[in-house]
Amino acid sequence: MTSCFVVFVLQMWPDNAHMSSHSREVLQGPPRYPIDLFHTGNIVKICAPMVRYSKLSFRTLVRKYNCDLCYTPMIVATDFVRSVKARNSEFTTNQGDHPLIVQFAAKEAQVLADAAHIISPFADGIDLNCGCPQRWAMTEGYGACLINKPELVQEMVRLVRNQVENPMFTVSIKIRIHDDLKRTVDLCQKAEAAGVSWITVHGRNVEERHQPVHYDAIKIIKQSMSIPVVANGDMKSLKDVEDIHQITGADGVMVARGLLANPAMFAGYEETPLHCIQHWIDIALEHGTPFTCFHHHLMYMLERITSKQEKKIFNVLSSTSAVLDYLRDNYGVK
C-alpha cells in the first residue's frame, strides 16, 4: 500500500479506524458500476434501504442469492458530514459489498454534495430519500416532503453531479407518488434534466401504507422517462418481480419486506431455504452482528416456516447460544 493512498484516506475520513481496513480493500477491488446493470437486458434486482436491517451482514447474505444491487439504510447527511463517529456507526462496508448505494436523508444541496464526496471512495453511488413518510422525517424537511420541492431535488442532484469527480458515481432518488401524477412526472423529468442516474418509484402516496400499490402509475412514469426506472412495493416472490416488470416496464425492482421474509427470494425460492439460514448464521457470527439484529432477521426468515407455537418459543429466546441450540435441535442447522 502506498503512502499517498494512506494520506488520501486520512484526509477524506479523519480518525477512521473503524473504516480503514474495509475501505482500503474496496479501493483496491475491480470497478463495478451500478449503471451498467441497467444495460444488461435483465431485471435489476435490488435490496431496499431498510432502517436497522439492510446493513453489511444482510447485504452480504442477499448477494449470495442473485441480488444485483444493495442500498444501505438511510443516513442523515448532516450528521454524516459533521461527525466521524456518526460515519463509523452508520456505515460499514468491505471488499465484496459492491455494487453499493448509500442512501441519504438531506434537505440542503451542499450538505448532500459534501456527504457524497466523503462516501465516494467507499461506495458506487448515493440515493436521495424522497419517499420516507415518517412524521419525524417530514417534520425535519426530509423524505417524502421533497416530492413537493422539485426545484430543490433538481438542485441537489445537479450539485452532487458537479462536485463528485468520478463520472461513474451514480446519483439516484427514491420517491413516492402524488395523487396528481402529473406532478410526479414533472418531478422526475426535472431530476432527469439535472442528471439523475435512475429513479425508484414506490407506488403509493405519502398517506398510503398497506393499500394496493399503484403499478399503473409506475408504468406512466416509466413511459415519461428516458432513464432507468425501478419499481418498488409489495413484491414477495420472483414471480411477483417478473409480473410487475411486465406490468410497469420498469428496468429494475426494489424489495424490502419480501427479502426480509425470504433473503433467497431473487434466486427463486418460495420460502427461506435452510441453507440460507445457515449462511445467515455464519455471516452474522463472522461480522459480530448484535444479537437483537441477528435474532430479528431469523424471526422474519422463519415466519413462513414455523407454526404459531414455534414462533412463541423462538421469538422470546434471549441469547445467541439459545438461538443456535434451537435451530440445531429443530432444523438441523448448525
Side-chain angles (χ1 to χ4, degrees):
M1 184 178 297
T2 64
S3 59
C4 65
F5 177 79
V6 176
V7 170
F8 172 74
V9 171
L10 293 177
Q11 287 173 341
M12 288 294 295
W13 203 308
D15 304 319
N16 64 333
H18 178 68
M19 281 295 306
S20 58
S21 62
H22 293 314
S23 307
R24 294 169 190 178
E25 288 178 0
V26 170
L27 288 177
Q28 290 175 338
R32 283 166 281 184
Y33 304 125
I35 199 66
D36 292 340
L37 294 170
F38 292 100
H39 301 300
T40 64
N42 299 319
I43 308 167
V44 181
K45 302 175 185 68
I46 304 171
C47 177
M50 292 177 279
V51 175
R52 294 184 299 276
Y53 293 121
S54 53
K55 295 194 172 184
L56 176 60
S57 52
F58 188 68
R59 299 195 302 264
T60 303
L61 178 66
V62 295
R63 290 185 194 279
K64 289 181 175 290
Y65 293 93
N66 291 3
C67 184
D68 299 314
L69 180 62
C70 290
Y71 281 50
T72 67
M74 182 182 73
I75 300 170
V76 176
T78 304
D79 298 338
F80 190 82
V81 169
R82 289 177 181 169
S83 167
V84 172
K85 184 178 179 181
R87 296 174 212 167
N88 289 339
S89 64
E90 294 291 331
F91 178 73
T92 309
T93 190
N94 63 20
Q95 186 173 14
D97 190 29
H98 287 272
L100 176 66
I101 304 299
V102 177
Q103 189 186 66
F104 285 112
K107 57 184 176 182
E108 298 168 88
Q110 190 58 59
V111 172
L112 181 63
D114 290 345
H117 180 66
I118 292 168
I119 207 69
S120 60
F122 312 109
D124 302 288
I126 63 132
D127 184 83
L128 174 63
N129 186 315
C130 303
C132 179
Q134 293 183 34
R135 185 172 289 118
W136 75 266
M138 302 278 283
T139 301
E140 292 291 328
Y142 299 133
C145 70
L146 291 176
I147 66 173
N148 298 316
K149 301 176 181 180
E151 287 78 16
L152 175 58
V153 172
Q154 189 175 39
E155 180 189 0
M156 288 197 276
V157 170
R158 183 179 291 124
L159 204 61
V160 175
R161 271 269 171 257
N162 290 341
Q163 294 190 10
V164 176
E165 293 180 1
N166 179 2
M168 300 306 293
F169 189 81
T170 61
V171 186
S172 56
I173 63 173
K174 183 173 186 287
I175 67 170
R176 283 184 173 240
I177 60 173
H178 297 88
D179 288 330
D180 179 1
L181 202 58
K182 290 179 182 177
R183 296 179 63 197
T184 313
V185 170
D186 175 67
L187 166 70
C188 293
Q189 290 176 340
K190 281 185 166 66
E192 179 177 9
V196 79
S197 304
W198 67 83
I199 296 174
T200 300
V201 183
H202 181 85
R204 293 186 175 99
N205 66 36
V206 174
E207 302 300 325
E208 293 174 322
R209 295 296 184 270
H210 304 293
Q211 291 90 335
V213 178
H214 302 287
Y215 296 118
D216 55 334
I218 300 176
K219 179 179 180 179
I220 291 168
I221 293 165
K222 169 59 186 171
Q223 291 172 340
S224 305
M225 312 298 294
S226 58
I227 57 170
V229 170
V230 173
N232 174 229
D234 282 5
M235 282 168 266
K236 298 176 182 176
S237 69
L238 192 58
K239 185 178 186 305
D240 288 345
V241 166
E242 292 163 351
D243 289 347
I244 289 160
H245 167 68
Q246 291 297 322
I247 293 167
T248 63
D251 305 274
V253 294
M254 177 182 284
V255 178
R257 286 175 294 183
L259 279 177
L260 283 181
N262 180 8
M265 175 187 136
F266 286 148
Y269 292 91
E270 292 297 318
E271 58 186 34
T272 308
L274 291 181
H275 52 76
C276 181
I277 293 172
Q278 182 67 67
H279 277 137
W280 171 244
I281 293 169
D282 295 341
I283 291 165
L285 294 180
E286 179 185 351
H287 286 238
T289 302
F291 172 74
T292 301
C293 181
F294 169 68
H295 190 207
H296 280 186
H297 273 295
L298 286 168
M299 288 162 62
Y300 278 112
M301 292 181 208
L302 293 169
E303 180 69 28
R304 301 177 192 174
I305 302 171
T306 53
S307 66
K308 286 185 179 180
Q309 185 59 37
E310 286 177 313
K311 286 182 180 64
K312 287 180 182 178
I313 297 169
F314 184 81
N315 291 358
V316 297
L317 297 176
S318 57
S319 70
T320 299
S321 58
V323 168
L324 295 177
D325 288 346
Y326 183 92
L327 292 173
R328 182 192 64 234
D329 294 345
N330 291 276
Y331 295 97
V333 177
K334 298 179 181 179

